[in-house]
Amino acid sequence: MHITFLDRFEARPGRILQWTPSEISTGSTYPVPPTSNQQLHLPGSRGDTTWLAATFDVPGPIDTDALRASFEEWTSRHDALSCSFSQAEEADESSALFVDVADVVDLRLREETVADARTPEQVRELLGERLDRWCNPFAFPAYFLGAITREDQSTVICGFDHAICDGWSMSIAITEISTLYREYTRADRNPIASDLLPEPGSFLNYCFRESATADPEPGDHRIAGWRSFLRSCGGDTPHFPVDLGLPAGTMSPQGTDTRMLLDADEAELFDQNCADHRHSSFGAILASIGLATTQLTEKRDTRLLFPVHTRREPRHNHTFGWLVANAPMTVTSMDDLHSTARAVNLAFHEALSLSSVSSRQVLRSLGPEVSPTRRDIFSVSYADYRTMPGGSRPRESRPGDSQPAPINPQQLSRVSSADDVQFWFSRTHDGLAVRTRFPAPAAQAVFTFLGCVSEILSTP
């Protein structure tokens, strides 16, 4: 899986196709409110969307009947894809959001030719327009299903508003759609998803269980842990430790960067080196962030959030939805990478226990004790795609692969505005990479920081 942004999407020209519902049954309002993540995300989405998309390649031109059937089969499989959201009209409930559930059991899709894109720039522009338009959480469907058809090799594309998906879900999407498409292109064209794919688990039931969880008591040790962490941030959320040259409260056009830090062989040695020194690879990544901060600012402590998936039960391994929590971490620089990483590992389990309280519950409990000065938060994410549905494979399939996998899988995000920095580290069979989002005027500061991180991780 190659993790990138739309402006860096490796897009070859071709005819862009889209599949949209021919008829929509709006269903009814679901009796369970949106999750904590959604309730924080959606109020700021009125005039905008924060979408995630994924692509994979298939041989030859698109078999449009096979892809339509694959999309229809797949969308009926995951109940998150039946959701859109509406805002309460009453003034005293202006922040309340409700889930509208459409009837997608008999969803039928129609094909539309968007345009013939003759340059990579046109591909990115046209896809961006469609993804922005269709991945709207306040309309159904909140997703885009499409393809770029070419004579030699085509690209299947799916995109979703963040309210109904997370990064893990992108792996689920391309793995399952590619499996269905491969079967539908066979002569009989009569696959049954339940025979080909594992049980998906219900995202709406997950939402129900979350909503039934009582808020923690004021004296709960987890609230105390969050209070201590946020106080150490000055009553603010954590922010990038190097001066960005951007006043608090000022949004900037977003800058992007993607780079490979370690190739396949180097990443294998890195993982083994981490194991030999009794700490995790993610612990070493967080340690490199802390050590880079110390090199550039002489600060010993680096505070950040890291996302953790909440797929704690096997029934949700293949659930499409947004199943993520956040954990707070203070990385304290020690003598070297390995001693710092071992200290991180000790702090990691306490951080995980704090992630069992949702961000919304934390903010509700602490109230005026927390006053964020920026919209964005400094976060560091790590995903090992080798452990996700479909597993990681080299970007080009190799003869003898025991399981067919999506060809040239890519995950891309929207480019918008930013006022802080986020890192997404990804481990695949190709190596260790990082994708970075930051305010464009802070490019030099961020690139200098990334250079330090790269050097630290590359040192035995």
Side-chain angles (χ1 to χ4, degrees), residues 368-445:
E369 295 182 56
V370 184
S371 299
T373 57
R374 295 183 184 269
R375 188 193 69 176
D376 294 332
I377 297 171
F378 178 44
S379 64
V380 179
S381 171
Y382 174 73
D384 188 340
Y385 284 88
R386 300 171 300 173
T387 67
M388 292 187 182
S392 158
R393 298 287 190 280
R395 293 184 68 186
E396 297 295 332
S397 295
R398 296 175 179 174
D401 278 345
S402 58
Q403 295 179 336
I407 301 171
N408 189 27
Q410 298 193 61
Q411 179 180 320
L412 50 145
S413 298
R414 189 175 190 265
V415 178
S416 55
S417 57
D419 66 352
D420 215 308
V421 178
Q422 288 88 40
F423 296 128
W424 289 270
F425 290 84
S426 55
R427 178 69 166 95
T428 69
H429 281 85
D430 291 324
L432 177 68
V434 62
R435 176 181 70 168
T436 308
R437 173 181 180 270
F438 55 90
Q444 190 55 56

Side-chain angles (χ1 to χ4, degrees), residues 15-19 62 67 144-149 155-157:
R15 174 165 293 180
I16 299 177
L17 308 176
Q18 181 179 359
W19 282 262
I62 290 291
L67 187 55
F144 169 87
L145 303 172
I148 308 171
T149 187
T155 301
V156 177
I157 305 162

Side-chain angles (χ1 to χ4, degrees), residues 250-303:
T250 303
M251 299 302 295
S252 160
Q254 177 185 324
T256 66
D257 182 79
T258 60
R259 62 181 71 190
M260 186 68 74
L261 298 171
L262 303 170
D263 65 23
D265 292 337
E266 291 168 339
E268 286 293 329
L269 290 173
F270 171 75
D271 289 343
Q272 186 58 55
N273 199 20
C274 291
D276 291 344
H277 285 86
R278 304 184 309 282
H279 58 75
S280 67
S281 298
F282 184 38
I285 289 169
L286 291 176
S288 74
I289 299 291
L291 291 168
T293 298
T294 303
Q295 284 184 22
L296 295 172
T297 70
E298 298 185 354
K299 298 174 185 175
R300 194 171 175 219
D301 290 336
T302 305
R303 296 175 180 86

Side-chain angles (χ1 to χ4, degrees), residues 4 35 78-79 90 94 140 220 254 266 268 275 279 292 310-311 313 317 332 375 390 432 457:
T4 187
T35 64
H78 294 286
D79 56 14
E90 294 82 358
S94 59
F140 180 83
D220 190 293
Q254 177 185 324
E266 291 168 339
E268 286 293 329
H279 58 75
T310 54
R311 301 167 188 268
E313 303 173 56
N317 285 348
T332 301
R375 188 193 69 176
L432 177 68
L457 292 175

